[in-house]
Amino acid sequence: GDYWNNFEDEYIELRNITGFPVSLYHATHTSNTWKLDRAVEFPFPPNTTIAANAYVLVVNFNPLTHTAQRDAFRAKYGISAAIPLFGPYKGDLSNGDETVALYQPDTPENSGANAGQVPYVLVDQVRYNDQAPWPSTPDGFGQSLHRAAAAWLEQEGDVVEAVRHHQAAGDWAPAARLLVDNYLTLTMD
């Protein structure tokens, strides 16, 4: 973690694993949007929605104004133009130990000393590290962190997605174990 921070290629992926769209803003106070906080800070633009079973990426550059960097980023990672990119986020994703948190706005305070203030509710957070059980290969070498997602997907019974995340993280032994343990129930498309 101390030798190189590959910040130009860092990003955060938010994946909607539900079968319905998720709006990243308050239902009745639509100008109050979800935000990333802790390691990086990023308020989502108004009217941002993640489609069902889709994802968005948050990058550390402005994809609307830095089009050459955006195009190079999409080409490097094979990201379709249909995948929304947002940015820039403020801060950086440490190659060591860090926490990324996602917050949604609650109903604004309407009275008292805090009238008008928008409280935020923690939706999810991930504390990652370059120590076990996290893989070391994302530490400046270009791979993404997938281990937590793989473990969660495995617990939820989504073996195919768990294998995909283990493979993306370079965790071949758990991917192989899942395939061997579930070979009778898996079908290929």
Side-chain angles (χ1 to χ4, degrees):
D2 296 334
Y3 51 93
W4 181 43
N5 189 358
N6 189 16
F7 67 90
E8 65 273 6
D9 293 325
E10 294 177 338
Y11 62 93
I12 296 169
E13 175 182 315
L14 293 180
R15 187 175 191 101
N16 177 0
I17 61 172
T18 72
F20 53 90
V22 173
S23 299
L24 300 183
Y25 52 88
H26 192 276
T28 57
H29 302 276
T30 57
S31 63
N32 298 337
T33 64
W34 292 37
K35 66 181 181 178
L36 293 172
D37 206 354
R38 307 279 305 264
V40 299
E41 298 172 10
F42 181 76
F44 284 90
N47 302 315
T48 299
T49 299
I50 304 177
N53 300 304
Y55 61 96
V56 301
L57 301 180
V58 182
V59 296
N60 66 351
F61 60 91
N62 186 330
L64 299 176
T65 59
H66 293 87
T67 56
Q69 188 173 4
R70 177 199 65 210
D71 295 346
F73 180 86
R74 286 188 185 281
K76 180 174 185 170
Y77 293 108
I79 299 168
S80 160
I83 305 301
L85 295 182
F86 295 99
Y89 58 71
K90 181 180 169 188
D92 98 47
L93 297 168
S94 168
N95 284 348
D97 179 24
E98 198 75 76
T99 299
V100 176
L102 177 65
Y103 291 89
Q104 71 179 32
D106 203 352
T107 303
E109 300 289 337
N110 58 13
S111 63
N114 295 328
Q117 289 186 355
V118 178
Y120 278 83
V121 178
L122 180 65
V123 174
D124 196 9
Q125 70 178 1
V126 174
R127 179 171 179 227
Y128 66 89
N129 201 316
D130 59 356
Q131 306 293 318
W134 294 96
S136 60
T137 50
D139 195 0
F141 295 106
Q143 288 188 326
S144 299
L145 290 172
H146 286 266
R147 184 178 296 246
W152 181 83
L153 288 162
E154 186 175 345
Q155 287 176 345
E156 294 297 309
D158 193 341
V159 175
V160 172
E161 281 298 303
V163 167
R164 187 178 73 76
H165 280 275
H166 278 305
Q167 288 174 330
D171 293 333
W172 300 107
R177 177 188 49 77
L178 282 173
L179 289 172
V180 168
D181 291 350
N182 296 281
Y183 75 97
L184 291 176
T185 60
L186 294 176
T187 59
M188 298 296 180
D189 290 329

